Amino acid sequence: MCGIVGYIGKKDAKEILIKGLKKLEYRGYDSAGIAFFKNQKVEMIKSVGKISKLEDKLQKGDFSNYNIGIAHTRWATHGKVTLENAHPHQVGEITLVHNGIIENIESLKNDLEKERATFYSQTDTEIVAYLLNKYLEPDFLKTIQKVTKLLKGSYALGIIVKSEDSTLYVVKKDSPVVIGLGEDENFFASDISAIHEYTNDFMFLDEEEIAKITKDSVEVYNKNLEMISKKVQTIQLEQESLGKQGFPHYMLKEIYEQPIVLEKTLNKYMDKFSELPDLTTYQEIHIVACGSAMYVGMIGKYLFEENASLKTIVTVASEYRYEKTIYNNETLVILVSQSGETADTIAALRKAKENGQTTLAIVNVKSSTIAKEADQVLFIEAGEEVAVATTKAYTLQVAMFALLSLKLAYDKKLIMDIDSYLKDFKEIPNLLKKVIEQEDDIKTLAIELAKSKDIFFIGRKIDYAICLEGSLKLKEISYIHSEAYQAGELKHGTISLIEKDTPVIAIITDREIAPKSISNVEEVESRGAKSIMITTEKLKELVDASLVVPSVCQFLQPLLVVPILQLLAYHVAVLKNCDIDKPRNLAKSVTVE
Ligand code: AGP
């Protein structure tokens, strides 16, 4: 997703802006640009491709004595990946950067073209710049107010107005933006990671608020242009990932971090187990999320239903936000999000709240929008997750659902001996280390898989939920087509795709249903498939498995299986020379819908 960063102060803006853009790379981008501002003159430099291309261009000129600037990483939504479409965009007096999507851009553009307006780019952002310039008046706040009333959609805007060469303006609606407060300098950015090197003091703009920023002041206004006071939050970002620490990729480092961060999260919540939310008053759980976070929810469904007999529905946030949602007053809506900034999940959270539902969020990033807006939030302690493909955050979110389902079963008196369950749970980090030590065996399996064009994952019940994440991990970093299927469903059509040597990865950990899953493996093998089965110690006599994980209570088993699939996807992608930490087309936080 796009990222914006801005600086106004006593230092050299170039270095601060470039560093900020690099911190925002995780959001995904395909072009970048900077606008420097001094004495009512703007110098703009843009590039397609990596930020290093922009740095090369900057080397060729003298941009060392600017103290004001705005910068942008673009993840193309409106318009191709071209220099013209790269931000910043400039029209007349206005230069701006934008993260978000203006949804009524076609009608706005048509109206302007009727007035003979012409445009150099295909972007929605240029139209915004055009409108700000068109309706420019001495009080720029009024200009912003007038133009934003015309806009539908999401925007975090960083704006330079030529006539005001000691001021930056920031406007927020639905896309995140934070103001960083310094000594004789101030900053703005899409998230604090881009500027926390310079300050720990932040102001988070809320919906439709406007910030007027100089090097020694920050004024915030609401949509009625009334000045409002904003709380300054001091946030010490955790020791950010100290680079790859010898690992070839962040993803592998984060896979190996799982035992440590899982232990940290379990210690945090087990010490206060009784303080975990009491879910006994709810008749139904509705889990809403995107991507891997939604697959966490799929595991959560099995855990709540199997352990605590609580009906649970899982919905993709991009569907939930628009569908007719039917719930009763005793529905708890649980939002799952690593970044806490996923646009669809934020929209789902807001819809649930508008419908009077109680919301609980399971989030990793503490200063995020979802963490701030949910009625209650449970933070996992994964630390900064740099790789776009989630691993440690996914595993910790699954652990949170395991804890919540355990607490609910205990509160409902469905289990009495809670201590033995917690004792088993505390063993998981050590067992997880043992699982990850199987990396060499997993690497061997990856060799054949890397040559495939289609790979299927099959499983039943919670094993199917595990397959969903395993399949997504493989797809998103190795670019091999893959599908996860309920093992019993494959024969209702998709089995026609099975041909000689098609790899089928079967997850078989549920003792009760194992024989059925084994029959499904035999079905595909009889049609030429090459199966790879993953099972547990207790089932290894029954299952001719390629990989075996320690046996634990069923509701903890996913925590030991998914890391296998993370490593499998990782090694397949390495063999295919893929961009492991920043897969093509992907963003770490999808802040547009
Ligand atoms: C993670 O591997 C995926 N890249 C992606 O599906 C991610 O889980 C999804 O975009 C949700 O992100 P969030 O957890 O930050 O909301």
Side-chain angles (χ1 to χ4, degrees), residues 345-363:
T345 313
I346 292 172
L349 165 62
R350 292 173 178 167
K351 173 178 174 178
K353 289 181 75 172
E354 278 159 22
N355 285 288
Q357 301 305 315
T358 308
T359 56
L360 165 67
I362 297 178
V363 172

Side-chain angles (χ1 to χ4, degrees), residues 124-139:
D124 51 353
T125 307
E126 184 194 352
I127 307 293
V128 177
Y130 187 97
L131 290 168
L132 288 167
N133 189 61
K134 177 182 175 187
Y135 294 111
L136 191 59
E137 51 182 286
D139 179 353

Side-chain angles (χ1 to χ4, degrees), residues 35 37 40 42 44 70 88-97 120 125-137 140 143-144 147 157-164 169:
F37 183 36
Q40 302 192 350
V42 175
M44 256 195 326
I70 59 178
H89 284 284
Q90 184 175 57
V91 178
E93 296 290 295
I94 302 297
T95 306
L96 60 75
V97 288
Y120 59 81
T125 307
E126 184 194 352
I127 307 293
V128 177
Y130 187 97
L131 290 168
L132 288 167
N133 189 61
K134 177 182 175 187
Y135 294 111
L136 191 59
E137 51 182 286
F140 190 64
T143 308
I144 291 173
V147 170
L157 299 170
I159 309 169
I160 289 171
V161 189
K162 272 189 192 158
S163 58
E164 301 191 44
Y169 288 89

Side-chain angles (χ1 to χ4, degrees), residues 289-295 336-343 345 362 370 385 387-391 393-394 397 469 472-473 476-477 583 586-590:
C290 300
S292 291
M294 196 271 277
Y295 296 149
V336 188
S337 177
Q338 187 284 134
S339 65
E341 294 300 350
T342 299
T345 313
I362 297 178
I370 292 173
E385 188 175 68
V388 167
T390 184
T391 51
Y394 170 93
Q397 287 166 336
E469 175 59 9
L472 178 60
K473 279 282 110 19
E476 63 178 327
I477 63 170
L586 289 185
K588 182 64 178 171
S589 175
V590 183

Side-chain angles (χ1 to χ4, degrees), residues 513-576:
I513 205 108
K516 303 293 181 193
S517 299
I518 292 165
S519 309
N520 299 136
V521 172
E522 285 157 2
E523 282 161 12
V524 293
E525 284 178 340
S526 62
R527 289 160 175 82
K530 283 183 84 170
S531 66
I532 293 174
M533 288 182 272
I534 298 171
T535 191
T536 68
E537 283 292 338
K538 279 185 183 159
L539 290 177
K540 67 182 183 182
E541 304 313 320
L542 197 62
V543 181
D544 178 16
S546 311
L547 290 163
V548 178
V549 297
S551 294
V552 290
C553 331
Q554 189 58 45
F555 79 98
L556 296 175
Q557 203 62 68
L559 294 168
L560 299 183
V561 177
V562 172
I564 293 255
L565 304 181
Q566 293 166 352
L567 284 170
L568 196 56
Y570 172 80
H571 283 294
V572 170
V574 166
L575 288 167
K576 295 193 69 195

Side-chain angles (χ1 to χ4, degrees), residues 242-269:
L242 300 172
K244 297 176 195 146
Q245 289 178 322
F247 286 94
H249 301 102
Y250 279 108
M251 183 177 175
L252 189 61
K253 172 178 171 254
E254 290 156 5
I255 289 171
Y256 271 82
E257 282 177 344
Q258 291 182 114
I260 307 162
V261 293
L262 177 57
E263 188 168 21
K264 183 177 174 187
T265 302
L266 293 181
N267 290 341
K268 170 179 177 179
Y269 287 104

